[in-house]
Amino acid sequence: WARNAKYIVWIDADAIVLDMGMDIARIGEAHPTADLIASADIRQGYINSGFLVVRNTQWTRVFLKDWWNVANKVTVCDQDAFDLLYTRRIQQAEKAGGVAAADRERARVAILSRDALNSDPPAMATQKLSNQVLHLMGEITSMRAAVFSTAMANVCRVVQAHAQDQEQLPVLPRQLGISRNFLVVTADRVYEKETQDLLAQAT
């Protein structure tokens, strides 16, 4: 179905795009040698796989297939599997063609700052007005539901207002109304209830 697409984006279920003007083609053009573009991970690994921009190339198709098969998915998470494969491919390239070949293999993946295409966790402490993606990795389901339902409600409110007044162009709130302050207040409310529920179960 995506055979003729130039780029494909992977986004985790616990992430949303905050900026409807996000230009995937421009991101790809800014990294012309990269077939896979991602944000750096907060851990020691290479990337956070929560949001990926993938160029539709032969290299990418082979890499994604190998990534799927490189390790036992029961014991190895997707990011560790990526690290294993990417490191192996760089080493193989260097062995076959020297440092220049290894550098070419490295250039196939563009690793951007942690918040370029993702959140620098925890988002409630680090989110900036310029961030285009919100990824609530590591948060509980009720926190994600509270945040994402608010973003959707804010979008629906604008769409409904535009349907009644077609003269005015619809303007979405900045970051869909999900400010860092909103995240802090929501986390305080959600985790207080979660903590109280856990304490009630323990007694």
Side-chain angles (χ1 to χ4, degrees):
W1 58 267
R3 186 172 300 162
N4 298 317
K6 190 168 185 180
Y7 300 99
I8 298 170
V9 171
W10 166 269
I11 183 167
D12 276 6
D14 59 354
I16 58 171
V17 174
L18 297 175
D19 181 359
M20 296 299 109
M22 188 176 190
D23 191 333
I24 300 302
R26 185 176 294 177
I27 293 168
E29 289 159 8
H31 306 280
T33 66
D35 290 315
L36 192 152
I37 306 168
S39 279
D41 193 39
I42 196 169
R43 313 168 309 144
Q44 296 300 313
Y46 290 110
I47 65 165
N48 184 318
S49 60
F51 191 99
L52 304 173
V53 177
V54 180
R55 199 183 305 269
N56 187 1
T57 65
Q58 179 62 25
W59 183 94
T60 302
R61 289 189 285 275
V62 172
F63 188 89
L64 290 176
K65 183 179 178 183
D66 290 347
W67 186 1
W68 182 260
N69 293 311
V70 72
N72 184 339
K73 288 180 278 296
V74 175
T75 57
V76 179
C77 75
D78 62 321
Q79 291 180 186
D80 289 342
F82 175 93
D83 294 350
L84 176 67
L85 176 62
Y86 187 47
T87 300
R88 183 183 295 171
R89 288 183 67 116
I90 291 169
Q91 291 170 343
Q92 288 171 343
E94 185 167 12
K95 188 174 180 181
V99 173
D103 287 343
R104 283 194 297 274
E105 191 65 20
R106 280 190 192 91
R108 295 284 195 172
V109 178
I111 303 174
L112 313 184
S113 65
R114 289 202 301 245
D115 67 344
L117 298 176
N118 221 306
S119 291
D120 185 6
M124 66 193 75
T126 61
Q127 183 179 347
K128 302 178 193 136
L129 285 172
S130 58
N131 292 151
Q132 295 180 295
V133 175
L134 174 65
H135 186 189
L136 294 179
M137 57 202 127
E139 304 291 353
I140 61 174
T141 301
S142 50
M143 173 67 178
R144 294 167 177 158
V147 172
F148 295 160
S149 61
T150 297
M152 181 58 76
N154 289 339
V155 171
C156 290
R157 200 165 16 255
V158 170
V159 170
Q160 287 170 350
H162 179 62
Q164 294 166 1
D165 183 6
Q166 305 242 340
E167 301 265 321
Q168 260 189 322
L169 288 172
V171 179
L172 292 172
R174 187 92 181 253
Q175 292 186 322
L176 308 183
I178 307 300
S179 65
R180 185 161 64 186
N181 184 62
F182 171 82
L183 290 173
V184 170
V185 170
T186 304
D188 186 48
R189 172 174 54 81
V190 168
Y191 285 111
E192 180 181 27
K193 182 180 183 310
E194 183 78 8
T195 302
Q196 289 172 347
D197 290 347
L198 288 171
L199 287 172
Q201 291 172 21
T203 56

